[in-house]
Amino acid sequence: MIAVEGTSTDRFTRLRETLAAHIESGNEIGASLALDIDGVMEVDIWGGHADTARTVPWERDTLVNLWSTTKTLSSLAALVLVDRGALDLCRPVADYWPEFAAQGKETIEVRHVLAHTSGLAGWQQPFTVEDLYDWTTASTRLAEQEPWWKPGAASAYHMQTQGQLVGELVRRVSGRTLTEFVEAEIAKPLRADIQIGAREADWPRIAALVPPSQLPELPPGLDPESIFTRTLLGSPARDEHVDTPQWRRAELGALNGHGHARGLVRALSAISRRGQANGHRLLSEETVDKIFDVQSDGVDLFLGVPVRWGIGYALADPRTIPGMPTGRICFWVGRGGSIVMMDLDRRVTFAYTMNRLGGDILASGRTREYIRHVYDALDAAN
């Protein structure tokens, strides 16, 4: 069997073997898995290749574009500001961003943005990827448009807008860009190799993403006025934009984070461990508890599956991802299957990143299999 690098304790041998099997079969090109249990990194493994030709090995510090797993970092940045009293979850966004009150948005609260219930699931057309790359244009356009449904009444996944909304709030209250804030307040103190966008010096260690061989088919006769269609058309970033200089230089807090499984675990274990990780207290226990304040529980108007949204994260629910364990778990996923999940009951943080994208909407079969092996091992120890 193909070699997998890194370290793992004996009880996670099956997880390691599964990664090796997926690389050998070609299901994975390159990937990394990491698992922290109450401050002990019991799994930190990687293998395969960083390029489609399979000539460049996936190394310990290989980075990959995280797609929507980036949102876990942006939400963490917002929670840091909540913890410091700079942001109030129940105050209107317009209190921090006055222009945002236009078009009847004066009642939209910070919590609505973090829970995908603000009514701004996409940009009003026309809106291009070049507009997305321009921070001022992207923020101004959101401030000028009206919500597509009553804020707080339902969720529709803010696939590409959430990073802009959170990032603008971070800029308004901290005076720093989201990229700067994540670097200074999360990555450095927690010694986590993650970033929003990608520093040019790090480009050589970024793995090339491989789009799925087959995309889900859209149902015929889509209603152009439906939330699903408007969100899809109002979210211009596509697979072909990734791995370009413009993408890497942009600040896309919902989409273009770069990291690996170990980096995500080192950052997000601050949630699993009740606010403190790697010798640094990032959040109070009270702020961590706020994540589990359910904001919406029902079929998401964009994703089409039931999602329980807390503050900044989805809450564990097998209706959302089949086979996901229950308990005090929050998580989110990225396009193609990457994931980071924080289990407060077990003080466990698990992350998976890869460069071959799966075609499922939420997590891939590989993602679900890795999660199953993690929890099989944890359950066997009890």
Side-chain angles (χ1 to χ4, degrees):
M1 184 172 287
I2 194 165
V4 168
E5 304 296 327
T7 59
S8 56
T9 55
D10 289 346
R11 59 173 164 166
F12 294 105
T13 297
R14 186 72 183 110
L15 180 65
R16 188 185 192 106
E17 291 173 346
T18 301
L19 175 59
H22 280 307
I23 294 171
E24 189 165 44
S25 70
N27 290 332
E28 299 277 20
I29 294 177
S32 64
L33 298 170
L35 178 74
D36 176 283
I37 302 178
D38 202 14
V40 177
M41 193 75 77
E42 292 215 21
V43 177
D44 182 10
I45 57 177
W46 60 89
H49 294 88
D51 64 329
T52 56
R54 292 179 169 85
T55 60
V56 179
W58 188 293
E59 305 283 2
R60 180 181 188 274
D61 294 326
T62 294
L63 302 173
V64 68
N65 190 93
L66 301 171
W67 272 110
S68 285
T69 305
T70 306
K71 293 180 176 72
T72 64
L73 301 173
S74 298
S75 293
L76 186 57
L79 286 171
V80 170
L81 291 168
V82 168
D83 196 72
R84 296 175 182 175
L87 273 179
D88 185 326
L89 292 168
C90 295
R91 281 182 63 181
V93 171
D95 283 1
Y96 308 101
W97 179 4
E99 302 93 323
F100 187 81
Q103 299 287 348
K105 298 194 301 301
E106 64 276 357
T107 63
I108 295 176
E109 298 173 10
V110 173
R111 63 190 177 96
H112 296 143
V113 168
L114 288 166
H116 303 269
T117 65
S118 78
L120 298 171
W123 279 272
Q124 197 70 40
Q125 289 296 289
F127 187 82
T128 67
V129 72
E130 287 75 23
D131 295 328
L132 180 66
Y133 292 153
D134 186 287
W135 186 272
T136 301
T137 296
S139 289
T140 300
R141 289 288 301 277
L142 285 175
E144 291 174 345
Q145 76 180 58
E146 63 182 355
W148 293 345
W149 69 92
K150 182 181 177 181
S155 75
Y157 181 49
H158 293 22
M159 181 168 52
Q160 297 181 16
T161 57
Q162 194 200 41
Q164 194 73 35
L165 294 165
V166 172
E168 188 66 37
L169 284 167
V170 169
R171 285 177 178 237
R172 296 276 172 155
V173 303
S174 76
R176 287 184 283 185
T177 68
L178 181 62
T179 297
E180 293 168 344
F181 191 90
V182 168
E183 173 67 16
E185 303 294 343
I186 298 173
K188 284 186 176 178
L190 296 178
R191 303 188 302 282
D193 189 8
I194 45 92
Q195 53 191 294
I196 305 293
R199 293 180 292 269
E200 191 163 351
D202 290 326
W203 290 5
R205 61 187 181 109
I206 298 176
L209 285 186
V210 181
S213 56
Q214 187 172 0
L215 295 172
E217 292 189 9
L218 296 176
L222 286 176
D223 178 1
E225 295 304 315
S226 72
I227 299 300
F228 174 85
T229 305
R230 295 172 80 181
T231 301
L232 186 66
L233 296 178
S235 306
R238 300 290 183 264
D239 288 337
E240 61 266 25
H241 301 131
V242 181
D243 297 333
T244 65
Q246 296 92 334
W247 178 274
R248 292 173 179 173
R249 290 190 179 110
E251 181 175 274
L252 309 176
L255 302 167
N256 78 336
H258 288 77
H260 42 60
R262 183 190 327 105
L264 285 170
V265 163
R266 289 190 68 84
L268 276 301
S269 60
I271 291 176
S272 313
R273 300 180 63 205
R274 307 282 300 168
Q276 182 169 313
N278 312 324
H280 178 77
R281 176 159 291 282
L282 190 71
L283 303 170
S284 67
E285 293 191 15
E286 292 76 14
T287 298
V288 173
D289 286 338
K290 294 179 189 296
I291 294 170
F292 295 89
D293 184 3
V294 177
Q295 301 296 303
S296 178
D297 188 355
V299 175
D300 185 273
L301 298 177
F302 178 73
L303 296 172
V305 298
V307 183
R308 282 197 308 140
W309 287 110
I311 298 293
Y313 302 88
L315 307 181
D317 191 328
R319 299 175 304 167
T320 308
I321 297 181
M324 176 167 278
T326 57
R328 201 165 165 80
I329 298 171
C330 60
F331 73 98
W332 196 238
V333 299
R335 171 162 168 69
S338 64
I339 191 170
V340 59
M341 52 188 295
M342 292 72 76
D343 184 333
L344 279 70
D345 293 335
R346 301 170 182 86
R347 296 176 73 88
V348 163
T349 313
F350 171 69
Y352 159 55
T353 66
M354 75 293 136
N355 60 349
R356 179 184 282 283
L357 306 183
D360 305 80
I361 295 176
L362 290 177
S364 68
R366 287 170 278 153
T367 316
R368 295 189 292 272
E369 187 175 5
Y370 295 139
I371 292 171
R372 177 167 57 83
H373 287 309
V374 165
Y375 279 87
D376 283 350
L378 292 172
D379 291 342
N382 295 329

